[in-house]
Amino acid sequence: MRNLVMTKKINNHLLPIIGAIAGDIIGSPYELNGSRIKSKEFPLFSQQSTYTDDTVMTLGVAQWVMNNNENLTSILHIWGNKYINVGFGHAFKCWLRSENPQPYNSWGNGSAMRVSSIGVACEYLHDVLNLAEQSASITHNHLEGIKGAQATAACIYLARTGKSKQEIKGYIESTFGYNLSRTCDEIRIAYQFDVTCQGSVPESIIAFLESKDFEDAIRLAISLGGDADTMGAITGSIAEAYYRNVPDHIKEEILKRLPEEFINVMEKFYKKFIMKNDDKFSDKNKSNQ
């Protein structure tokens, strides 16, 4: 009953951070070797479609953004250990199991897949970049790990505040040095599984830039044949902010697969950061689509 009530709400309101979670769940069956695909034609959902560590960490960062007096390391430790068997990598599992977790100089894309709430919540771009760096640095304190988180969060912020795709592309290229002038067709030919920020964040952004709508963005990201759930999460988080419309059939399938405590965090985030800004941002992106 709870999920049905929540579905009625999100049919009328944009539910923040569901874009990242949708990309994670839709991409989850296509991440492992032997399941990766090089086509946009695939079922969006199956029995294997489930949330992974990308969703868990996205919600952990969202909780931290809502309660900025709390310790992010502690929050991610709690969330991660509660759901430790949902796909965390070896290095992050070691971090979760440590009694005194420290940054481990990672440049993996885990820093980028968890930042969507930062791009949504902040009023100013400099705050987005600052919080994205903080969120990455507790684990991914390598320059590339921080850059991937900042670039993703900046894309979300720029999309949410009405910037065009060309403006987003220009800012990311000039600020972070990513080459976004390739096409998905060009990338797909030789692209392989890559969990680094530098080898997956630019490609995920390109999938958004090339897309026609939210679903197309997710399909493009997964069709590259890489780290499908994480690339889906990164692309989905940007596409949600830009298109401001996650199709109802996708939202309904996502909610079916989430524990109630996940939905509670999403509801609280919506009430704190979206309801008060609905009028401010409601029409800004329409002219860019």
Side-chain angles (χ1 to χ4, degrees):
M1 178 62 70
R2 175 61 182 277
N3 280 4
L4 290 176
V5 172
M6 193 62 195
T7 298
K8 290 181 180 179
K9 172 183 283 189
I10 64 172
N11 284 341
N12 297 315
H13 297 283
L14 181 70
L15 189 63
I17 66 182
I18 200 171
I21 295 171
D24 174 37
I25 291 176
I26 293 171
S28 60
Y30 306 105
E31 176 192 15
L32 299 178
N33 190 24
S35 301
R36 296 169 198 149
I37 54 175
K38 293 281 189 174
S39 169
K40 288 170 58 177
E41 302 303 318
F42 57 85
L44 284 181
F45 296 99
S46 68
Q47 290 185 340
Q48 288 72 46
S49 302
T50 185
Y51 65 86
T52 77
D53 55 310
D54 301 54
T55 290
V56 175
M57 292 295 96
T58 291
L59 293 168
V61 173
Q63 181 180 322
W64 173 65
V65 170
M66 286 190 288
N67 306 292
N68 56 17
N69 59 330
E70 294 185 13
N71 182 280
L72 179 58
T73 297
S74 297
I75 293 173
L76 296 191
H77 229 232
I78 292 169
W79 279 91
N81 279 292
K82 185 171 184 178
Y83 295 95
I84 199 165
N85 294 317
V86 296
F88 290 103
H90 174 73
F92 197 86
K93 275 190 174 181
C94 291
W95 185 84
L96 288 174
R97 289 168 173 153
S98 171
E99 293 184 1
N100 182 29
Q102 297 296 318
Y104 51 94
N105 201 38
S106 174
W107 57 84
N109 54 20
S111 61
M113 56 81 165
R114 67 193 190 207
V115 296
S116 55
S117 59
I118 293 172
V120 171
C122 292
E123 187 172 356
Y124 301 106
L125 182 56
H126 64 82
D127 291 329
V128 172
L129 299 177
N130 179 43
L131 285 184
E133 179 176 3
Q134 290 182 46
S135 74
S137 294
I138 62 168
T139 51
H140 297 59
N141 57 329
H142 189 280
L143 176 63
E144 293 293 345
I146 292 170
K147 186 165 78 170
Q150 288 182 317
T152 302
C155 281
I156 295 164
Y157 173 84
L158 294 171
R160 175 178 68 88
T161 53
K163 301 302 182 184
S164 68
K165 287 184 177 181
Q166 195 59 37
E167 289 173 312
I168 295 169
K169 177 178 181 289
Y171 176 81
I172 297 301
E173 287 186 324
S174 63
T175 304
F176 300 103
Y178 289 157
N179 175 14
L180 304 181
S181 295
R182 298 164 290 159
T183 68
C184 286
D185 284 343
E186 292 168 342
I187 295 167
R188 193 179 292 113
I189 296 170
Y191 190 72
Q192 297 180 346
F193 186 82
D194 192 331
V195 298
T196 69
C197 274
Q198 57 269 39
S200 61
V201 172
E203 290 75 10
S204 300
I205 296 172
I206 289 168
F208 153 69
L209 292 172
E210 192 172 310
S211 66
K212 299 177 293 186
D213 53 36
F214 179 83
E215 181 176 328
D216 190 50
I218 298 295
R219 289 187 179 278
L220 280 166
I222 293 171
S223 77
L224 297 178
D227 189 6
D229 58 337
T230 296
M231 294 177 73
I234 294 169
T235 300
S237 64
I238 305 168
E240 177 195 12
Y242 183 83
Y243 293 113
R244 302 186 65 82
N245 179 34
V246 177
D248 289 346
H249 70 277
I250 292 179
K251 290 185 282 190
E252 290 166 4
E253 288 290 337
I254 297 308
L255 291 178
K256 291 177 185 177
R257 291 166 166 80
L258 297 180
E260 185 170 346
E261 70 171 328
F262 288 17
I263 297 173
N264 287 339
V265 173
M266 296 162 78
E267 279 190 287
K268 290 175 182 176
F269 191 89
Y270 170 82
K271 291 175 181 176
K272 180 160 187 175
F273 293 111
I274 304 302
M275 289 180 70
K276 66 180 181 179
N277 288 328
D278 271 350
D279 292 338
K280 186 174 182 180
F281 297 115
S282 60
D283 297 319
K284 281 194 173 184
N285 286 8
K286 291 181 180 177
S287 61
N288 295 330
Q289 297 179 21

